[in-house]
Amino acid sequence: MRIAVLALQGAFIEHEKMLQRLGAETFEVRQLSDWYQTKDALVIPGGESTTQIKLLHELNLYNPVREAILSGLPVFGTCAGLILLAKSVVGEEEIERISTMDISVCRNAYGRQLGSFYCEDVVDGVGDNIPMTFIRAPYIKCVTSLDCKPLAIVDGNIVAARQGNQIVTAFHPELNDDTRIHEYFMSIVREWVNKK
């Protein structure tokens, strides 16, 4: 299994280490030529979503990345990655994102006082007591189609969802030792590879 990790900005190295622990091969996407390597999936890390989308456009990565996801390439977006994949971000209707997931998102939803916190909760299809590290996190205000399913809810807010081969988390599973979220993503990738 070979997984591309968008390495323009943010916490990409932590994802690479987690995936490699689970036996996946990873490579970094920093420019258009990187994108055309053979891959079975993509990870879009946390970081600064505005910077990431700007660089995707400047490096001519935006269209090929979006087309691949729309064609079924499995993708895992954490925090900023969740924002990039959302079709709607409250208060930012004019900004062009990858927009492949039927979710409406509130950016920096927990505010400065609760900008970072940790909890453990259930993630459907993954397990109980999943460590969740939130850093100035967004949350999913609502899913906007029946194709998109909430996977985790913390304090009444959706913090993880799946739509087809796309999964997103508002938290950072790559910052903890628990590998179950990445294992869940890899099971989606494996299923997609076997169907190809």
Side-chain angles (χ1 to χ4, degrees), residues 38-142:
T38 302
K39 61 194 157 297
D40 300 310
L42 171 66
V43 170
I44 304 176
E48 176 44 58
S49 61
T50 307
T51 300
Q52 290 186 28
I53 199 67
K54 181 173 179 282
L55 290 169
L56 281 168
H57 282 290
E58 286 178 2
L59 297 167
N60 297 312
L61 281 162
Y62 174 83
N63 285 326
V65 166
R66 186 171 193 274
E67 287 163 14
I69 295 168
L70 288 171
S71 297
L73 181 74
V75 62
F76 178 17
T78 58
C79 200
L82 177 153
I83 292 169
L84 291 182
L85 292 170
K87 286 192 177 172
S88 169
V89 175
V90 174
E92 295 183 10
E93 304 310 320
E94 301 304 312
I95 296 174
E96 187 176 31
R97 289 170 297 277
I98 295 171
S99 302
T100 52
M101 229 174 146
D102 296 329
I103 53 177
S104 178
V105 172
C106 293
R107 175 196 286 278
N108 295 330
Y110 294 97
R112 291 174 185 247
Q113 296 299 321
L114 293 171
S116 300
F117 66 97
Y118 172 89
C119 68
E120 295 182 5
D121 217 309
V122 176
V123 177
D124 288 348
V126 180
D128 299 340
N129 304 115
I130 301 294
M132 299 180 180
T133 299
F134 293 85
I135 302 172
R136 296 182 305 280
Y139 64 69
I140 299 168
K141 183 179 179 184
C142 62

